Amino acid sequence: MWESILTEWASLILRWLHVVAAVGWIGSSFYFIHLDLSLKPRSDLPEGAYGDAWQVHGGGFYRIVKFLVAPARMPDELTWFKWEAYTTWLSGFALMVVVYYLDAELFLVDKSILNLTPLQAGLFSLCSLILAWLLYEGACRSGLARHELPFALGGYVFLVGLTYAFTHVLSGRGAFNQIGAIVGTIMVANVFVVIIPNQKKVIAALLAGKSPDPELGAQGKQRSVHNNYLTLPVIVLMISNHYPLLFATRYNWLIVAIVLALGPIIRHFFNERHADRKSPWWVWGVAGAGMIAIALLSAAGPREIKTGSLSTAPTFANIEAIVMSRCSMCHGAEPVWASIVTAPRGILLDQSDHIRRNARLIGRNAAWSSAMPPGNVTEMTGEERALIAAWLEAGAR
C-alpha cells in the first residue's frame, strides 16, 4: 500500500513540476521567436545591433535591442534562459520512469501487440530515445540541416517511421509517450548541447577581447527554430494519454503523423504574422481538414475488434460477465491488482448498476478503443470488445 501511495504522490509532484517548467520554457521560447521576428533595423541602434522592438506590458514600455553576434563589451548582468528547459526534461524523464517504467506491464506493454517483459520494454524505450537523438544530432552536424525544406521533410518521415514502429512494439499509450519523449529530448538537447554552449563560447571570446564567431549564433538560431516548430506536436503527444480514441485505435500512428504535420503548419501562421508578413490564412483550412481526418481515424476502433463474428445480439449478462472478468479486478471496491489501491478515477465496475452507469466510459476505453484494460493485462479479446460495442449500439440495456 505505501509503495503505491508514494508512487502516486511522486507522479503528482513530478507532473506538476513538469507542467510548470514546460509553461515557462514554451512561454519564453514563443516570446523570443516573436521578438526575433518583430525586430526592426533603425538608424539609432548601437554598433553591432541587428534591430530593436518597442513593447508595452504591465503598465510600462520596453525597448529590446538584439545584437547579431554580441555587444562590443560584456554587460555586467546577463539573464540566461536554460533551467526552464532542463527542468522540463528532468521532471519529464523522472515521470516517465515512475509511470511507464515502474508500471511497464500496465502502460508500456500491450500483450496483444508484443509480449515484452517490463525490462525489455524499458530498455527498448531508453535505447530508442538515445539512438533517435544521436541520429538527429548527427544529421544536424553533417550540414544537412542547412537545407531547410529537405531536412524538415526528412525529419518528418523519420518521426512518422518511428511512430509506426513504436505502435507495433509498445502499447498505444506507450508509443505516443515515447515519440513525445524523443521530440522533447531533441528540443532540450538543442538547448543543452548547442545553444547554451555556443553562447558561453561567445562570452568567453568577449572576455578575452576577441571577436566572437558569427557561426556560433547561427547554429544556436537554427536549433531554436527547430524547437519552435516541434513545440505544438510535443504538447499534443504529452496530453494524449488522456484521450484513448487517439492512442488506442487502429490508425493511431496516422493520427500522430497528422499531428506532426499540423503543429509546424500552425506555427508557420503565427511566425508569418509576427514578422509582419501576409497572414497565411490557408493554414486554418488545412488545420481544420487535419482535425476532421483525426476524428474519422479515431472512429475506426481498435485493431483487433471483429464485428463480423457476432451471430446474436449481446445481452447484459454477456457484458456483465466480460466486465467482471476483465475489468473489476481494478475497478472494484477493493482492487486486487498489486499496484492499485483504489479504483482508477473512482470508477467502480463490480456491480450491475455500476456497469450500466458507466456504459459510455466502458465503450470509449474498451470497445471503441483498446485503452482498457491497460496493456491488455487481462487479455480481453477482439470478440469481447465487439460484444460491448454492439451492446452500446443497441442502447446499453
Side-chain angles (χ1 to χ4, degrees):
M1 175 179 177
W2 279 107
E3 180 183 351
S4 181
I5 291 173
L6 290 173
T7 300
E8 190 77 359
W9 273 105
S11 175
L12 170 62
I13 293 169
L14 289 170
R15 196 179 301 274
W16 190 12
L17 177 60
H18 185 58
V19 170
V20 171
V23 168
W25 181 26
I26 294 169
S28 63
S29 174
F30 280 6
Y31 170 73
F32 277 105
I33 289 292
H34 171 275
L35 174 63
D36 201 54
L37 291 171
S38 64
L39 292 169
K40 300 289 190 298
R42 306 184 200 278
S43 58
D44 60 339
L45 292 175
E47 182 181 354
Y50 167 75
D52 73 347
W54 281 91
Q55 300 180 359
V56 60
H57 182 76
F61 290 85
Y62 298 81
R63 185 190 187 190
I64 300 99
V65 179
K66 177 182 177 179
F67 292 84
L68 193 58
V69 180
R73 58 175 292 275
M74 183 66 188
D76 296 330
E77 295 182 0
L78 190 62
T79 300
W80 292 82
F81 291 86
K82 57 181 180 178
W83 284 109
E84 303 94 333
Y86 300 165
T87 305
T88 299
W89 189 88
L90 290 170
S91 58
F93 183 75
L95 186 62
M96 188 162 73
V97 170
V98 169
V99 175
Y100 287 89
Y101 290 0
L102 296 184
D103 266 334
E105 57 189 337
L106 291 179
F107 301 120
L108 199 56
V109 175
D110 187 335
K111 292 181 180 180
S112 66
I113 295 175
L114 196 61
N115 193 8
L116 299 174
T117 66
L119 179 60
Q120 288 172 333
L123 287 174
F124 174 82
S125 170
L126 184 61
C127 291
S128 63
L129 190 72
I130 296 170
L131 180 59
W133 170 69
L134 288 174
L135 290 172
Y136 164 80
E137 188 66 23
C140 286
R141 292 182 182 272
S142 71
L144 291 175
R146 294 178 180 175
H147 308 283
E148 293 183 358
L149 184 58
F151 184 80
L153 293 174
Y156 174 76
V157 172
F158 173 64
L159 290 175
V160 172
L162 284 180
T163 302
Y164 182 83
F166 292 153
T167 57
H168 288 75
V169 176
L170 305 173
S171 69
R173 188 194 306 262
F176 272 49
N177 181 77
Q178 184 67 17
I179 196 68
I182 284 173
V183 175
T185 297
I186 287 172
M187 293 171 66
V188 175
N190 281 340
V191 178
F192 183 72
V193 176
V194 177
I195 296 173
I196 296 300
N198 281 15
Q199 287 177 339
K200 289 183 176 180
K201 290 175 184 177
V202 169
I203 290 173
L206 284 174
L207 294 174
K210 301 177 182 178
S211 296
D213 183 0
E215 182 62 22
L216 296 173
Q219 291 171 359
K221 174 65 176 176
Q222 181 188 75
R223 300 301 183 95
S224 181
V225 170
H226 291 180
N227 284 2
N228 178 49
Y229 283 104
L230 290 172
T231 299
L232 294 184
V234 81
I235 292 174
V236 175
L237 292 168
M238 288 309 182
I239 64 174
S240 65
N241 63 353
H242 299 288
Y243 301 96
L245 293 181
L246 294 183
F247 68 79
T249 48
R250 187 175 308 173
Y251 300 112
N252 50 7
W253 69 274
L254 273 177
I255 290 173
V256 173
I258 295 172
V259 168
L260 289 172
L262 289 186
I265 288 173
I266 293 171
R267 280 307 303 164
H268 172 70
F269 174 83
F270 289 101
N271 289 344
E272 290 297 292
R273 284 181 66 86
H274 297 334
D276 281 337
R277 291 191 285 265
K278 185 179 179 181
S279 297
W281 294 105
W282 58 266
V283 162
W284 301 111
V286 174
M291 294 297 181
I292 293 171
I294 289 174
L296 294 174
L297 290 170
S298 69
R303 293 180 192 171
E304 299 302 323
I305 196 165
K306 300 176 181 178
T307 56
S309 62
L310 299 180
S311 56
T312 59
T315 64
F316 179 73
N318 301 141
I319 304 307
E320 185 176 29
I322 293 170
V323 174
M324 294 297 289
S325 63
R326 305 299 188 190
C327 311
S328 64
M329 60 283 301
C330 294
H331 291 279
E334 295 183 1
V336 298
W337 193 263
S339 61
I340 297 177
V341 176
T342 60
R345 297 176 61 185
I347 297 170
L348 298 175
L349 301 174
D350 53 358
Q351 296 179 23
S352 299
D353 59 332
H354 293 160
I355 294 172
R356 286 193 171 96
R357 185 184 307 136
N358 294 294
R360 298 197 69 81
L361 279 176
I362 294 171
R364 190 181 305 155
N365 288 277
W368 306 320
S369 77
S370 58
M372 293 292 166
N376 203 25
V377 291
T378 57
E379 300 182 2
M380 181 180 284
T381 66
E383 289 82 359
E384 289 170 335
R385 297 187 192 277
L387 276 169
I388 296 173
W391 173 66
L392 289 163
E393 185 69 24
R397 291 185 292 271

